Amino acid sequence: MIALAAPAALLNANPGLGARLVGAAVVATFMGSYVLFRDWERFGPLLLRHPTLLAADTLFGSLLLISAGPDTTLAYVSVCTPLLAGIVYGWRGAAVFASLQSLIFLLVYATTQNPATTVAERLLLPGLCVIAGAVGSALRNLMFRFGAATKALTEVQARLAVTEAIAEERARLAREMHDSVAKTLYGVALAADGLAGSADRMNPTLVKEQAELVARSARRAAAESRELLADLRREADSTDVLGELAARTRDFGTRTNLAATYHPTGEEETPLIPPAVARQLLTIATEAMENAHRHAAPTRVDVSAGVHGDLLCMTVYDDGRGLPQGTTLEQLRSTGHFGLVGMVERAASLGARIRIGRGTHSKGTEVRLELPLTTLAPGSA
């Protein structure tokens, strides 16, 4: 608006010193506005600390207004000065600059000496200055209240985020305890029972095997406890994960005397698996095997894993009695059976799809997990 009013102000200015003053006012006001608009973060605080800068800008603008006249667009732009003062300095600043701008308008009308201008027309722009100052002060109060409300909302959201993080961590620790340490200790108890039964028959070979099984299971429980408490993340590639899955399957068969076999599937090469993802996959497989042994009375358990297309697929199948009809996660959660619930939660945390049911089999239970390979990219876990 200053640029649009500059030609009229320069044409109406007196030649010589008057034109130079008006030209200087054009440059000063335009550059001041441009600098504030371009880099408010840097110069805005300076304007907040020194109201005299806005007063100087107002006085430079008055030279343009006197030269251009009160009927130009610059007059209505000048009304925004009290509005800005109200926003920046509050009601006191609005009152000061509304009074200053009103006096400037009255001075402009006095210098023009246009007899056709009525008193109402002369008081219109000063009245608008007062209204603009009041609006600016009200906007300032509204923005401060909005800022306080936003700050309070941010604090509430932060508390909720902390609460959710704590709840999620507690749920994760509960899953880890249930799916790793608790299951391993249960295996230790079974092995100890077998050892006690073997001791009655005084079979040294069988006693030795059962003792080794107890020791191996106890060491595994200790390792899982240390890993859980320290929140360790193993650095494992795909071969280590598949090898660990095969080892866990063999260990499960040894402890339970079930026919447990592992079958690698897929023709594509398995990509590198982030440690956190590998841990979840192994835990889901282990939980599926333990659930089969404890609840399904199977005669065999088949485990397979491999890449098929753009999916990493892992299945655990047992030929046991299968799930009861109408079983839901809510029922399992309410009755304290968290094994299947934990598997579903772990799969969801990986972005994988898990299906629990008969699958393509006529009986038994198949746990099938499909993990998109895109989730295995670095930084995605």
Side-chain angles (χ1 to χ4, degrees):
M1 301 303 293
I2 293 173
L4 292 176
L10 292 172
L11 289 174
N12 294 333
N14 294 325
L17 180 61
R20 295 189 182 92
L21 289 176
V22 171
V26 169
V27 174
T29 54
F30 183 83
M31 292 304 298
S33 301
Y34 174 76
V35 167
L36 288 175
F37 178 78
R38 179 69 180 270
D39 197 358
W40 173 260
E41 295 294 333
R42 179 180 179 184
F43 295 101
L46 188 64
L47 181 65
L48 292 174
R49 292 193 301 268
H50 302 286
T52 53
L53 295 176
L54 183 59
D57 179 79
T58 303
L59 294 178
F60 274 110
S62 66
L63 293 176
L64 297 178
L65 189 60
I66 293 173
S67 179
D71 298 329
T72 61
T73 56
L74 187 62
Y76 296 94
V77 175
S78 301
V79 173
C80 296
T81 300
L83 176 66
L84 177 61
I87 294 175
V88 176
Y89 305 119
W91 66 270
R92 290 185 177 86
V96 171
F97 281 91
S99 301
L100 177 61
Q101 194 64 54
S102 298
L103 291 175
I104 292 174
F105 278 125
L106 294 176
L107 177 62
V108 170
Y109 280 114
T111 56
T112 56
Q113 295 180 352
N114 187 355
T117 304
T118 63
V119 176
E121 293 174 340
R122 292 174 181 268
L123 296 178
L124 174 62
L125 291 176
L128 291 177
C129 288
V130 176
I131 295 174
V135 171
S137 179
L139 287 176
R140 175 187 174 88
N141 295 333
L142 182 61
M143 285 189 292
F144 273 116
R145 292 178 182 177
F146 180 76
T150 302
K151 182 180 179 181
L153 179 61
T154 302
E155 292 177 353
V156 171
Q157 290 176 338
R159 294 192 186 99
L160 288 176
V162 171
T163 303
E164 292 176 356
I166 293 174
E168 183 178 352
E169 183 65 13
R170 291 180 62 184
R172 186 189 71 83
L173 291 175
R175 289 195 301 268
E176 295 290 346
M177 291 294 294
H178 178 271
D179 297 343
S180 59
V181 180
K183 288 292 188 295
T184 304
L185 291 177
Y186 178 76
V188 172
L190 292 179
D193 291 338
L195 178 60
S198 301
D200 294 337
R201 294 189 293 271
M202 296 301 294
N203 187 335
T205 302
L206 185 58
V207 170
K208 180 179 179 181
E209 292 177 354
Q210 294 294 335
E212 290 176 349
L213 181 58
V214 171
R216 185 166 59 251
S217 299
R219 286 193 295 269
R220 178 180 172 187
E224 290 175 346
S225 300
R226 288 193 300 270
E227 184 175 357
L228 177 61
L229 294 175
D231 196 25
L232 297 177
R233 291 294 183 265
R234 292 186 297 271
E235 294 294 335
D237 57 19
S238 57
T239 304
D240 293 332
V241 172
L242 298 181
E244 176 67 17
L245 184 57
R248 291 195 181 194
T249 304
R250 290 192 298 269
D251 180 68
F252 170 77
T254 302
R255 288 189 293 103
T256 60
N257 291 321
L258 287 175
T261 57
Y262 169 76
H263 307 281
T265 61
E267 298 180 356
E268 295 85 355
E269 182 179 356
T270 304
L272 294 177
I273 299 178
V277 177
R279 178 180 177 84
Q280 299 284 41
L281 292 176
L282 293 172
T283 303
I284 291 173
T286 303
E287 175 66 15
M289 289 187 286
E290 295 292 345
N291 276 344
H293 174 243
R294 297 181 63 183
H295 305 295
T299 61
R300 65 184 179 91
V301 174
D302 296 325
V303 181
S304 62
V307 175
H308 299 265
D310 60 347
L311 295 175
L312 174 63
C313 300
M314 182 182 71
T315 61
V316 178
Y317 168 73
D318 69 86
D319 62 350
R321 64 174 63 98
L323 292 173
Q325 292 292 332
T327 301
T328 63
L329 292 178
E330 291 300 326
Q331 292 175 348
L332 294 172
R333 187 180 286 109
S334 62
T335 54
H337 299 288
F338 297 105
L340 294 180
V341 175
M343 286 192 291
V344 173
E345 291 177 349
R346 290 178 185 276
S349 68
L350 298 177
R353 182 174 63 178
I354 187 170
R355 290 178 290 182
I356 304 175
R358 289 186 179 180
T360 59
H361 307 277
S362 59
K363 66 174 185 177
T365 304
E366 180 186 76
V367 177
R368 181 176 180 83
L369 182 140
E370 296 177 346
L371 178 66
L373 295 181
T374 54
T375 63
L376 302 180
S380 61

